[in-house]
């Protein structure tokens, strides 16, 4: 396959057997290079990790689920280094092309997967979402994307970053492909919920005016389709302590997962990724424990506010930054985005991005965040909304 989008790792192609028929028959898929696929190495976005990988002899369960559904595997995609970046940039391998906005970053860390789907090189792609690594590139590249309920999809055979935050998510361009992938990867929902929507104006307050203007009519259409959107009026939990807790948990667990390898083999990391691992190394067990307590309090607050309702919220504040944006500009965007993205992470709830708008020719998504275990419901709502059903 010719890869002008720079979405795929340049591994020698090895055909992977798939079912001759099934619900995914006729669809193609790609896999973020964190997941093991028999016949391929797992590089994790870093040459040292790739050099130590060897050829895998087993296939990760979510990859196998797509194969068993009849989908055809077409390759392994680039990832931001050790999956610890949201920009999609990789100092070793470059930046995959955003198929919906080629002059803008694709978002990460599932950058190659989003690039492959948005450039039409495959129908479906697996990614991982720890702090926003499926939802961000889904919004930036104009795709459907799901971060599932934590633990809903197996992470066996996947390179870890942060055990209590890592999830296996996926992308698709079309509603039908997204629904078909969801059926194979998610099974049936564990609980049944009615569709009652909620919103909190505080989550929209910091958005640029053009984002507010683009999302307002979308929410009006959702209200017309599904009924009145309940306003949540209690003050949001404090932003800075919550973000600090998120960063401490992520950093501490990331160092537990990769710190020994980084130090033992002298991994050369990009400056931004190196800074994050250095931060994680410095987090003390006491700080980690306190951060986990704040996470539980934060999750309990949202449980009390939402109950079984589905929260409408911006996926990220704006369209993707330009490729020419300075690193500090990208970091500012990353920081603001996290205040939205960490809600699903800390509450362990599923969240789906729906590609609903464009600004300056670049995509912008909106999200539905549901009760734990409502993943299939969210996918159905997202696809039916876009199909007008």
């Amino acid at each position: 396959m010719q890869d002008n989008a720079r979405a795929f790792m340049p591994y020698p192609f090895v055909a992977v057997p798939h079912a001759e028929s099934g619900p995914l028959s006729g669809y193609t898929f790609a896999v973020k290079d964190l997941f093991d696929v028999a016949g391929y190495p797992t590089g994790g976005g870093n040459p040292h990790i790739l050099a130590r990988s060897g050829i895998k002899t087993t296939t990760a369960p979510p990859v196998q689920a797509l194969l068993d559904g009849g989908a055809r595997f077409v390759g392994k995609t680039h990832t931001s280094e050790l999956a610890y970046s949201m920009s999609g940039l990789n100092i070793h391998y470059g930046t995959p092309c955003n198929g919906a906005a080629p002059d803008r970053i694709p978002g990460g860390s599932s950058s190659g997967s989003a690039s492959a789907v948005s450039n039409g090189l495959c129908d479906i792609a697996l990614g991982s979402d720890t702090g926003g690594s499926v939802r961000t590139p889904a919004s930036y590249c104009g795709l459907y994307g799901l971060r599932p309920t934590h633990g809903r999809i197996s992470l066996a055979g996947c390179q870890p970053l942060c055990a209590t935050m890592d999830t296996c998510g996926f992308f698709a361009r079309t509603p039908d492909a997204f629904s078909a992938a969801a059926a194979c990867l998610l099974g049936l929902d564990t609980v049944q919920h009615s569709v009652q929507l909620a919103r909190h104006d505080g989550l929209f307050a910091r958005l640029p005016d053009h984002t507010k203007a683009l999302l307002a009519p979308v929410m009006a259409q959702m209200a017309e389709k599904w009924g009145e959107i309940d306003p949540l009026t209690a003050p949001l939990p404090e932003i800075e302590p919550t973000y600090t807790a998120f960063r401490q948990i992520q950093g501490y667990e990331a160092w537990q997962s990769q710190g020994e390898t980084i130090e033992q083999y002298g991994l050369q990391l990009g400056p931004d990724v190196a800074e994050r691992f250095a931060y994680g190394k410095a987090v003390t067990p006491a700080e980690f424990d306190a951060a986990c307590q704040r996470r539980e309090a934060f999750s309990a607050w949202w449980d009390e506010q939402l109950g079984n309702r589905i929260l409408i919220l911006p996926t990220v504040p704006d369209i993707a930054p330009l490729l020419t944006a300075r690193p500090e500009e990208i970091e500012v965007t990353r920081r603001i985005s996290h205040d939205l993205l960490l809600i699903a992470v800390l509450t362990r709830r599923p969240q789906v991005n729906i590609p609903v708008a464009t600004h300056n020719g670049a995509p912008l998504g909106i999200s539905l965040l549901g009760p734990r275990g409502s993943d299939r419901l969210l996918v159905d709502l997202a696809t039916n909304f876009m199909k007008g059903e």
Side-chain angles (χ1 to χ4, degrees):
M1 175 189 296
Q2 189 168 357
D3 180 22
N4 294 329
R6 304 178 300 280
F8 290 94
M9 290 294 292
Y11 298 142
F13 182 74
V14 176
V16 180
H18 61 86
E20 292 185 3
S21 62
L24 292 178
S25 182
Y27 287 114
T28 57
F29 78 101
V31 175
K32 185 177 185 178
D33 197 21
L34 298 181
F35 294 89
D36 292 346
V37 178
Y40 291 81
T42 300
N46 179 275
H48 293 82
I49 298 293
L50 174 58
R52 297 186 62 247
S53 166
I55 300 300
K56 302 302 181 182
T57 58
T58 58
T59 295
V63 181
Q64 191 62 51
L66 296 178
L67 294 167
D68 292 345
R72 179 169 59 88
F73 172 78
V74 295
K76 301 194 78 177
T77 57
H78 283 290
T79 171
S80 298
E81 197 169 11
L82 299 179
Y84 211 174
S85 170
M86 280 175 47
S87 67
L89 310 179
N90 186 306
I91 194 172
H92 306 290
Y93 300 125
T95 305
C97 175
N98 181 334
D103 60 339
R104 297 179 181 273
I105 66 173
S109 61
S110 305
S111 53
S113 291
S115 174
V117 177
S118 65
N119 280 283
L121 302 176
C122 60
D123 301 304
I124 300 160
L126 287 182
S128 67
D129 189 311
T130 299
S133 292
V134 165
R135 293 162 291 161
T136 300
S139 183
Y140 285 177
C141 295
L143 303 173
Y144 296 91
L146 177 75
R147 174 195 167 91
T149 300
H150 187 263
R152 179 79 180 253
I153 302 175
S154 172
L155 285 172
C158 179
Q159 180 179 291
L161 179 66
C162 177
T164 64
M165 296 181 177
D166 289 346
T167 60
C168 170
F170 55 96
F171 303 93
R173 273 193 325 281
T174 69
D176 289 343
F178 195 52
S179 294
C184 286
L185 291 167
L186 297 169
L188 298 176
D189 278 347
T190 56
V191 290
Q192 298 298 316
H193 295 289
S194 59
V195 180
Q196 178 59 56
L197 304 180
R199 61 174 288 169
H200 196 299
D201 287 342
L203 299 177
F204 294 82
R206 297 166 65 198
L207 301 182
D209 288 342
H210 62 261
T211 300
K212 295 177 186 177
L214 287 167
L215 297 187
V218 175
M219 289 187 288
Q221 292 169 11
M222 289 181 170
E224 182 177 349
K225 182 176 181 64
W226 294 317
E228 183 178 355
I229 301 173
D230 296 338
L232 305 179
T233 57
L236 288 168
E238 293 182 86
I239 291 175
E240 290 304 325
T242 302
Y243 176 68
T244 297
F246 161 78
R247 195 176 181 211
Q248 287 176 331
I249 294 169
Q250 186 181 48
Y252 182 88
E253 292 191 357
W255 187 255
Q256 303 309 305
S257 295
Q258 301 292 350
E260 182 178 349
T261 299
I262 290 170
E263 293 194 326
Q264 181 177 354
Y265 295 97
L267 268 60
Q268 298 300 299
L269 303 173
D272 57 334
V273 178
E275 184 277 329
R276 291 180 198 120
F277 275 110
Y279 177 91
K281 181 181 181 180
V283 176
T284 67
E287 289 172 330
F288 174 73
D289 290 343
C292 290
Q293 292 176 22
R294 180 170 287 276
R295 169 170 60 186
E296 296 310 312
F298 180 84
S299 184
W301 187 90
W302 277 107
D303 286 349
E304 180 180 359
Q305 296 299 312
L306 287 174
N308 286 329
R309 291 177 294 189
I310 295 169
L311 182 69
I312 302 177
L313 72 163
T315 305
V316 288
D318 206 347
I319 59 176
L322 292 166
L323 288 166
T324 54
R326 299 188 305 275
E328 53 269 27
E329 293 178 88
I330 293 175
E331 182 59 28
V332 168
T333 300
R334 178 181 187 270
R335 171 65 188 86
I336 297 173
S337 297
H338 268 313
D339 292 336
L340 299 167
L341 296 164
L342 61 74
I343 298 173
V345 177
L346 297 182
T347 64
R348 305 174 181 87
R349 290 170 173 254
Q351 181 178 343
V352 64
N353 176 73
I354 313 173
V356 294
T358 59
H359 177 67
N360 288 343
L364 180 71
I366 197 168
S367 278
L368 301 176
L369 182 145
R372 288 175 283 275
S374 66
D375 309 53
R376 284 293 298 278
L377 173 62
L378 295 187
V379 170
D380 289 346
L381 293 175
T383 55
N384 291 342
F385 179 73
M386 294 302 287
K387 291 164 69 174
E389 296 179 352

